[in-house]
Short mmCIF file of all heavy atoms in Angstrom, two decimals:
data_model
loop_
_atom_site.label_atom_id
_atom_site.label_comp_id
_atom_site.label_asym_id
_atom_site.label_seq_id
_atom_site.Cartn_x
_atom_site.Cartn_y
_atom_site.Cartn_z
N ALA A 1 39.26 -6.17 -75.84
CA ALA A 1 38.11 -6.15 -74.94
C ALA A 1 36.81 -6.52 -75.66
O ALA A 1 35.99 -7.27 -75.13
CB ALA A 1 38.01 -4.80 -74.28
N ASP A 2 36.60 -5.94 -76.83
CA ASP A 2 35.36 -6.18 -77.55
C ASP A 2 35.17 -7.67 -77.89
O ASP A 2 34.05 -8.19 -77.82
CB ASP A 2 35.30 -5.36 -78.85
CG ASP A 2 35.10 -3.89 -78.56
OD1 ASP A 2 34.69 -3.55 -77.44
OD2 ASP A 2 35.35 -3.06 -79.48
N GLU A 3 36.26 -8.34 -78.21
CA GLU A 3 36.20 -9.76 -78.52
C GLU A 3 35.75 -10.57 -77.31
O GLU A 3 34.93 -11.48 -77.43
CB GLU A 3 37.54 -10.27 -79.04
CG GLU A 3 37.89 -9.81 -80.42
CD GLU A 3 39.16 -10.46 -80.94
OE1 GLU A 3 39.60 -11.47 -80.32
OE2 GLU A 3 39.73 -9.98 -81.93
N MET A 4 36.28 -10.23 -76.15
CA MET A 4 35.90 -10.97 -74.97
C MET A 4 34.42 -10.72 -74.59
O MET A 4 33.69 -11.65 -74.25
CB MET A 4 36.80 -10.61 -73.79
CG MET A 4 38.17 -11.26 -73.86
SD MET A 4 39.09 -11.13 -72.30
CE MET A 4 39.70 -9.43 -72.45
N LEU A 5 33.97 -9.48 -74.72
CA LEU A 5 32.58 -9.18 -74.41
C LEU A 5 31.62 -9.88 -75.39
O LEU A 5 30.56 -10.35 -75.00
CB LEU A 5 32.35 -7.67 -74.41
CG LEU A 5 33.02 -6.89 -73.28
CD1 LEU A 5 32.83 -5.41 -73.47
CD2 LEU A 5 32.50 -7.34 -71.92
N GLU A 6 32.01 -9.90 -76.64
CA GLU A 6 31.20 -10.62 -77.65
C GLU A 6 31.14 -12.11 -77.32
O GLU A 6 30.08 -12.73 -77.44
CB GLU A 6 31.79 -10.40 -79.05
CG GLU A 6 31.59 -8.98 -79.56
CD GLU A 6 32.32 -8.77 -80.89
OE1 GLU A 6 32.84 -9.76 -81.46
OE2 GLU A 6 32.32 -7.61 -81.39
N GLN A 7 32.27 -12.70 -76.93
CA GLN A 7 32.30 -14.10 -76.58
C GLN A 7 31.39 -14.37 -75.37
O GLN A 7 30.67 -15.37 -75.34
CB GLN A 7 33.74 -14.53 -76.28
CG GLN A 7 33.91 -15.99 -75.94
CD GLN A 7 33.58 -16.89 -77.13
OE1 GLN A 7 33.75 -16.51 -78.25
NE2 GLN A 7 33.07 -18.10 -76.83
N LEU A 8 31.45 -13.51 -74.37
CA LEU A 8 30.62 -13.67 -73.18
C LEU A 8 29.13 -13.58 -73.53
O LEU A 8 28.30 -14.32 -73.01
CB LEU A 8 30.98 -12.63 -72.16
CG LEU A 8 32.35 -12.77 -71.49
CD1 LEU A 8 32.71 -11.52 -70.71
CD2 LEU A 8 32.37 -13.98 -70.57
N THR A 9 28.79 -12.66 -74.44
CA THR A 9 27.41 -12.52 -74.83
C THR A 9 26.91 -13.75 -75.58
O THR A 9 25.79 -14.25 -75.35
CB THR A 9 27.24 -11.28 -75.75
OG1 THR A 9 27.65 -10.10 -75.04
CG2 THR A 9 25.80 -11.11 -76.19
N LEU A 10 27.76 -14.30 -76.43
CA LEU A 10 27.41 -15.53 -77.16
C LEU A 10 27.21 -16.71 -76.20
O LEU A 10 26.27 -17.50 -76.39
CB LEU A 10 28.48 -15.85 -78.20
CG LEU A 10 28.53 -14.97 -79.46
CD1 LEU A 10 29.73 -15.31 -80.30
CD2 LEU A 10 27.27 -15.10 -80.26
N GLU A 11 28.09 -16.83 -75.25
CA GLU A 11 28.02 -18.00 -74.36
C GLU A 11 26.94 -17.89 -73.31
O GLU A 11 26.31 -18.91 -72.97
CB GLU A 11 29.39 -18.18 -73.67
CG GLU A 11 30.47 -18.62 -74.61
CD GLU A 11 31.75 -19.05 -73.86
OE1 GLU A 11 31.62 -19.56 -72.72
OE2 GLU A 11 32.84 -18.91 -74.42
N PHE A 12 26.69 -16.68 -72.79
CA PHE A 12 25.81 -16.58 -71.62
C PHE A 12 24.62 -15.63 -71.79
O PHE A 12 23.80 -15.53 -70.90
CB PHE A 12 26.65 -16.10 -70.41
CG PHE A 12 27.90 -16.89 -70.21
CD1 PHE A 12 29.13 -16.27 -70.21
CD2 PHE A 12 27.85 -18.27 -70.00
CE1 PHE A 12 30.30 -16.99 -70.00
CE2 PHE A 12 29.01 -19.03 -69.81
CZ PHE A 12 30.23 -18.38 -69.80
N GLY A 13 24.53 -14.97 -72.92
CA GLY A 13 23.47 -14.02 -73.14
C GLY A 13 22.07 -14.61 -73.08
O GLY A 13 21.10 -13.91 -72.76
N ALA A 14 21.96 -15.90 -73.37
CA ALA A 14 20.65 -16.53 -73.37
C ALA A 14 20.21 -17.03 -72.01
O ALA A 14 19.06 -17.51 -71.86
CB ALA A 14 20.68 -17.73 -74.38
N ILE A 15 21.03 -16.96 -71.00
CA ILE A 15 20.67 -17.38 -69.68
C ILE A 15 19.66 -16.38 -69.11
O ILE A 15 19.99 -15.20 -68.93
CB ILE A 15 21.88 -17.47 -68.72
CG1 ILE A 15 22.88 -18.51 -69.27
CG2 ILE A 15 21.45 -17.86 -67.31
CD1 ILE A 15 24.16 -18.63 -68.46
N ALA A 16 18.47 -16.86 -68.82
CA ALA A 16 17.36 -15.95 -68.40
C ALA A 16 17.56 -15.39 -67.00
O ALA A 16 17.33 -14.22 -66.75
CB ALA A 16 16.02 -16.67 -68.52
N ASP A 17 17.97 -16.26 -66.09
CA ASP A 17 18.15 -15.83 -64.70
C ASP A 17 19.36 -14.91 -64.61
O ASP A 17 20.48 -15.31 -64.93
CB ASP A 17 18.32 -17.05 -63.79
CG ASP A 17 18.36 -16.63 -62.32
OD1 ASP A 17 19.45 -16.27 -61.85
OD2 ASP A 17 17.31 -16.71 -61.66
N LEU A 18 19.15 -13.70 -64.13
CA LEU A 18 20.20 -12.69 -64.08
C LEU A 18 21.37 -13.10 -63.19
O LEU A 18 22.54 -12.91 -63.50
CB LEU A 18 19.64 -11.36 -63.62
CG LEU A 18 18.55 -10.75 -64.52
CD1 LEU A 18 18.06 -9.43 -63.92
CD2 LEU A 18 19.08 -10.52 -65.93
N HIS A 19 21.04 -13.67 -62.05
CA HIS A 19 22.10 -14.08 -61.10
C HIS A 19 22.92 -15.27 -61.64
O HIS A 19 24.13 -15.31 -61.45
CB HIS A 19 21.48 -14.44 -59.74
CG HIS A 19 20.82 -13.25 -59.06
ND1 HIS A 19 21.57 -12.24 -58.50
CD2 HIS A 19 19.52 -12.89 -58.89
CE1 HIS A 19 20.75 -11.30 -57.99
NE2 HIS A 19 19.49 -11.72 -58.21
N GLN A 20 22.23 -16.16 -62.33
CA GLN A 20 22.97 -17.27 -62.97
C GLN A 20 23.86 -16.76 -64.07
O GLN A 20 24.99 -17.26 -64.25
CB GLN A 20 21.98 -18.29 -63.49
CG GLN A 20 21.24 -19.08 -62.41
CD GLN A 20 20.30 -20.12 -62.99
OE1 GLN A 20 20.24 -20.33 -64.22
NE2 GLN A 20 19.55 -20.78 -62.11
N ARG A 21 23.36 -15.79 -64.83
CA ARG A 21 24.18 -15.23 -65.90
C ARG A 21 25.42 -14.52 -65.34
O ARG A 21 26.53 -14.69 -65.81
CB ARG A 21 23.36 -14.24 -66.74
CG ARG A 21 24.05 -13.84 -68.04
CD ARG A 21 23.36 -12.66 -68.72
NE ARG A 21 21.91 -12.84 -68.79
CZ ARG A 21 21.07 -11.89 -69.12
NH1 ARG A 21 21.52 -10.67 -69.41
NH2 ARG A 21 19.77 -12.08 -69.16
N ALA A 22 25.19 -13.76 -64.25
CA ALA A 22 26.30 -13.05 -63.61
C ALA A 22 27.32 -14.05 -63.04
O ALA A 22 28.52 -13.86 -63.14
CB ALA A 22 25.77 -12.16 -62.50
N ALA A 23 26.83 -15.16 -62.47
CA ALA A 23 27.74 -16.18 -61.89
C ALA A 23 28.51 -16.85 -63.02
O ALA A 23 29.72 -17.16 -62.85
CB ALA A 23 26.93 -17.20 -61.12
N ALA A 24 27.89 -17.08 -64.16
CA ALA A 24 28.59 -17.73 -65.28
C ALA A 24 29.69 -16.82 -65.80
O ALA A 24 30.80 -17.31 -66.16
CB ALA A 24 27.57 -18.06 -66.38
N ILE A 25 29.41 -15.52 -65.87
CA ILE A 25 30.45 -14.59 -66.36
C ILE A 25 31.63 -14.58 -65.40
O ILE A 25 32.79 -14.57 -65.81
CB ILE A 25 29.84 -13.17 -66.53
CG1 ILE A 25 28.84 -13.18 -67.69
CG2 ILE A 25 30.93 -12.15 -66.78
CD1 ILE A 25 28.07 -11.89 -67.83
N LYS A 26 31.32 -14.55 -64.09
CA LYS A 26 32.39 -14.53 -63.11
C LYS A 26 33.25 -15.80 -63.23
O LYS A 26 34.48 -15.73 -63.19
CB LYS A 26 31.83 -14.41 -61.68
CG LYS A 26 32.90 -14.41 -60.62
CD LYS A 26 32.31 -14.21 -59.25
CE LYS A 26 33.42 -14.21 -58.19
NZ LYS A 26 32.90 -13.97 -56.84
N ASP A 27 32.60 -16.95 -63.38
CA ASP A 27 33.37 -18.19 -63.50
C ASP A 27 34.24 -18.18 -64.75
O ASP A 27 35.36 -18.74 -64.72
CB ASP A 27 32.41 -19.38 -63.57
CG ASP A 27 31.78 -19.71 -62.20
OD1 ASP A 27 32.29 -19.21 -61.19
OD2 ASP A 27 30.76 -20.43 -62.17
N TRP A 28 33.77 -17.60 -65.83
CA TRP A 28 34.56 -17.53 -67.04
C TRP A 28 35.90 -16.85 -66.79
O TRP A 28 36.91 -17.24 -67.36
CB TRP A 28 33.78 -16.77 -68.12
CG TRP A 28 34.34 -16.85 -69.49
CD1 TRP A 28 34.06 -17.79 -70.48
CD2 TRP A 28 35.30 -15.95 -70.11
NE1 TRP A 28 34.78 -17.53 -71.61
CE2 TRP A 28 35.56 -16.40 -71.42
CE3 TRP A 28 35.95 -14.81 -69.65
CZ2 TRP A 28 36.44 -15.76 -72.27
CZ3 TRP A 28 36.85 -14.16 -70.51
CH2 TRP A 28 37.07 -14.65 -71.80
N PHE A 29 35.89 -15.84 -65.94
CA PHE A 29 37.11 -15.10 -65.65
C PHE A 29 37.95 -15.75 -64.54
O PHE A 29 39.19 -15.71 -64.59
CB PHE A 29 36.81 -13.64 -65.23
CG PHE A 29 36.46 -12.78 -66.38
CD1 PHE A 29 35.11 -12.51 -66.69
CD2 PHE A 29 37.43 -12.16 -67.16
CE1 PHE A 29 34.77 -11.66 -67.75
CE2 PHE A 29 37.11 -11.33 -68.22
CZ PHE A 29 35.78 -11.08 -68.54
N THR A 30 37.31 -16.31 -63.54
CA THR A 30 38.05 -16.68 -62.32
C THR A 30 38.33 -18.16 -62.17
O THR A 30 39.23 -18.53 -61.44
CB THR A 30 37.29 -16.17 -61.09
OG1 THR A 30 35.98 -16.81 -61.06
CG2 THR A 30 37.11 -14.66 -61.12
#
């Protein structure tokens, strides 16, 4: 789990818009 969360933070943590960041995380999984 920690590896996946770290990967998500690296890929999407810099996205300023919260909704866009949330959408990007959802797409990563689905």
Side-chain angles (χ1 to χ4, degrees):
D2 288 344
E3 288 186 15
M4 283 193 281
L5 291 175
E6 289 174 6
Q7 183 65 31
L8 291 168
T9 300
L10 287 173
E11 291 191 30
F12 309 121
I15 299 177
D17 186 276
L18 298 179
H19 295 287
Q20 290 182 4
R21 193 191 312 168
I25 292 173
K26 179 176 181 178
D27 286 344
W28 190 90
F29 283 98
T30 61

